[in-house]
Each structure stands twice: as structure tokens, then as C-alpha cells.
Amino acid sequence: FFPPAAEADPMDTRTWLQWGLWERAQRDAPAARECFLRGINASSVNSFCWQSLALLEAAAARPAEVHPIRRGLEGVQRGPRGVPEGV
């Protein structure tokens, strides 16, 4: 389902977000990370992709990756569940 949707509209951040969330649920962190990054590349103001990437990196205990995410979040409206404390 996700590859045809992404091919049809690679700028649709909702597709990348949902695909990333599905990959994360399948415990494929590298694939999830790639999807979230593609969503961010499609629209750098998509707070849900930023939030999902931050949660993924925080869960993987990759603090070196979370710090640049904090800079990327500056000026971006945060999702309804917020970004974790310290991110």
C-alpha cells in the first residue's frame, strides 16, 4: 500500500508519516527513520514527522541524533502529544 502512494505523491507527508509508523511497529527502525526523514524533506514544518523521528531516536538511545532534531524543531508547531522532555 505505501510504495504506490509514495510514488504517486512523494510530497505527501501523511504517507511518509504513516509508513514510518508502520515500519516502527514492525520494529524496523532504519526503515522508519528513512520514512520520517522523507516526510521532513517533503515539508520541513511537519511537526508529526519531526516528533516521530525524535521519539524513534530517543527510544534507540541515540542522543547524538536527537540534538540536531531539536534544532530542526525550532519554530515548528508541535504535535498534540508534544515532543518528549529534553528534545
Side-chain angles (χ1 to χ4, degrees):
F1 175 77
F2 292 111
E7 186 176 325
D9 186 359
M11 299 305 286
D12 184 357
T13 58
R14 295 169 298 177
T15 297
W16 294 115
L17 175 63
Q18 293 304 313
W19 191 354
L21 293 172
W22 184 84
E23 294 290 359
R24 186 178 70 189
Q26 302 304 306
R27 302 198 186 287
D28 189 344
R33 183 176 296 111
E34 178 67 21
C35 290
F36 297 143
L37 288 170
R38 285 180 173 232
I40 290 166
N41 286 335
S43 174
S44 64
V45 296
N46 184 300
S47 62
F48 296 105
C49 287
W50 280 110
Q51 176 187 20
S52 296
L53 181 61
L55 290 169
L56 181 73
E57 300 300 3
R62 293 169 44 116
E65 300 299 327
V66 174
H67 185 68
I69 294 169
R70 178 187 289 166
R71 285 195 305 269
L73 285 170
E74 291 174 5
V76 174
Q77 183 177 355
R78 296 176 183 222
R81 293 188 352 220
V83 176
E85 196 65 34
V87 174

